[in-house]
Amino acid sequence: MTTQPKILVARATFDSVLARLSEHLDVQANQDDVIFSREQLLANLQGKQGVCTGGSERIDAPLLAACPDLKIASNVAVGYNNFDVDACTAAGVVCTNTPDVLTETTADMAFALLMATARRVSESEAFLRRGEWKKFKFDLLCGSDVHGSTLGILGMGRIGQAIARRGALGFGMNVIYHNRSRLSAEQEAPIKARYVSKQALFEQADHVVLVLPYSPAVHHTVGAGEIALMKPTATLINIGRGGLIDENALADALAQGRLMGAGLDVFEGEPTVNPRLLEQTRVVLTPHVGSATVPTRLAMANLAADNLIAFLTGKRPPTPINPQVLGSA
Ligand code: GLV
């Protein structure tokens, strides 16, 4: 009997996905969803050729040195800032992620946060639940308009473009964006998206949405200086990574009424949320649920499994991050 390659599935997943993995691989699961300490992760990875990570287990040079059998790290997330991809590439370890399958669902969530922030949905509900709604009041909980306003998207990849489509085609928004590279004229035309400088984006947008991939180079992309450029009636939405925003600068701005509101799905120290943000009423806070629908989470888990099964049975994984490790075969 041939022995199957061994993998660790570091976080709980769907039973159906575990069953698929187990048809091809020798699987150590973690269905109790224990959050492994670094030491536990290293111990559990001994002798494993593959790991399925949940987006927060850090795969870096010291881990690779301590786990010499590891050949593939498969993230169940599109973002992969938990991977030191250069270190993995240098060690010949393939990294994979789950793009595409979560694009539309995550764009829906960006819009949910945008709408909730602009129209003060959480604040309105809290007001009602506190029993403070005693009479109709003409100026009660007035927010900002979404339709016809200017949507500024920072990071115009797949998810940014899906948000832009919703804004332009669904809400008649004027779309401006900034990105490392400009879209082609064919991509810009259907949504009438206009490429602007980062400064112009902060100055002109009524709603700024952050959806760029996180790396140390973009740490605190939004700080006091950027917030000072924004209109006081503007909102700031973050569905990328918490580190994109200087949360203390944002808390200051909200406390001083220098910004209409913020909608945040991701946080610098998550799952711990900066207590200064928790004190603010003009901020809609959700616990990193951008891609959290059952069909999308299932598609993500299955794609992560496809990557592991393909690579560890001698085939090309469908969504490699560092394809150079695979060579041209
Ligand atoms: C979630 O944050 C992801 O990167 O997929």
Side-chain angles (χ1 to χ4, degrees):
M1 199 180 110
T2 54
T3 54
Q4 292 175 320
K6 291 184 168 48
I7 64 161
L8 172 70
V9 180
R11 298 296 307 273
T13 189
F14 295 93
D15 288 339
S16 63
V17 175
L18 272 188
R20 271 191 64 221
L21 284 165
S22 301
E23 284 170 21
H24 307 271
L25 306 168
D26 181 347
V27 178
Q28 178 182 333
N30 175 19
Q31 292 302 75
D32 291 337
D33 211 29
V34 173
I35 303 294
F36 294 140
S37 66
R38 178 78 168 181
E39 292 67 33
Q40 287 171 319
L41 182 62
L42 290 180
N44 284 316
L45 278 176
Q46 293 311 304
K48 305 291 192 308
Q49 284 85 60
V51 61
C52 187
T53 48
S56 51
E57 295 75 20
R58 182 129 188 91
I59 306 296
D60 54 16
L63 180 139
L64 297 172
C67 306
D69 296 316
L70 197 65
K71 294 286 169 273
I72 176 168
S74 170
N75 221 23
V76 192
V78 67
Y80 48 84
N81 52 299
N82 55 318
F83 290 172
D84 181 338
V85 178
D86 289 343
C88 288
T89 304
V93 172
V94 184
C95 301
T96 64
N97 67 339
T98 58
D100 302 317
V101 291
L102 47 56
T103 299
E104 300 300 329
T105 297
T106 308
D108 284 349
M109 185 64 194
F111 240 86
L113 274 181
L114 196 166
M115 299 289 289
T117 305
R119 298 302 307 274
R120 301 173 63 180
V121 172
S122 303
E123 205 184 337
S124 293
E125 185 177 356
F127 170 86
L128 180 152
R129 286 180 185 273
R130 284 194 305 271
E132 288 180 31
W133 187 28
K134 303 294 184 204
K135 62 176 183 193
F136 176 83
K137 219 166 149 279
F138 201 57
D139 61 353
L140 182 65
L141 291 155
C142 288
S144 299
D145 272 324
V146 174
H147 72 274
S149 65
T150 296
L151 172 61
I153 300 178
L154 194 55
M156 199 60 149
R158 289 166 285 229
I159 300 172
Q161 290 173 54
I163 295 167
R165 270 201 318 279
R166 282 161 176 71
L169 307 180
F171 289 81
M173 294 170 94
N174 163 38
V175 176
I176 57 177
Y177 74 97
H178 184 79
N179 197 39
R180 269 175 309 189
S181 50
R182 191 174 168 168
L183 298 182
S184 66
E186 293 71 42
Q187 288 171 306
E188 284 183 354
I191 47 174
K192 295 195 184 71
R194 202 158 48 83
Y195 184 80
V196 296
S197 68
K198 206 192 281 184
Q199 171 160 346
L201 184 131
F202 285 111
E203 286 171 351
Q204 293 173 21
D206 295 307
H207 305 287
V208 172
V209 179
L210 305 179
V211 62
L212 63 165
Y214 179 80
S215 71
V218 292
H219 185 68
H220 287 184
T221 285
V222 181
E226 288 72 23
I227 294 172
L229 296 173
M230 292 174 70
K231 301 177 187 180
T233 50
T235 71
L236 176 65
I237 310 300
N238 189 7
I239 56 152
R241 287 289 182 268
L244 295 171
I245 297 182
D246 177 345
E247 292 176 345
N248 284 317
L250 176 59
D252 287 343
L254 290 167
Q256 293 160 13
R258 283 194 281 109
L259 208 55
M260 150 78 194
L264 309 174
D265 187 45
V266 284
F267 304 89
E268 281 202 85
E270 64 184 58
T272 303
V273 177
N274 185 324
R276 297 195 53 216
L277 288 175
L278 289 170
E279 281 166 15
Q280 297 302 319
T281 48
R282 289 291 184 93
V283 58
V284 179
L285 307 165
T286 52
H288 202 146
V289 289
S291 60
T293 67
V294 174
T296 293
R297 285 283 157 93
L298 189 57
M300 291 165 69
N302 271 312
L303 179 52
D306 291 344
N307 278 308
L308 286 160
I309 294 167
F311 179 73
L312 291 172
T313 59
K315 300 182 200 74
R316 197 175 171 84
T319 51
I321 297 163
N322 54 350
Q324 61 273 38
V325 171
L326 299 166
S328 53

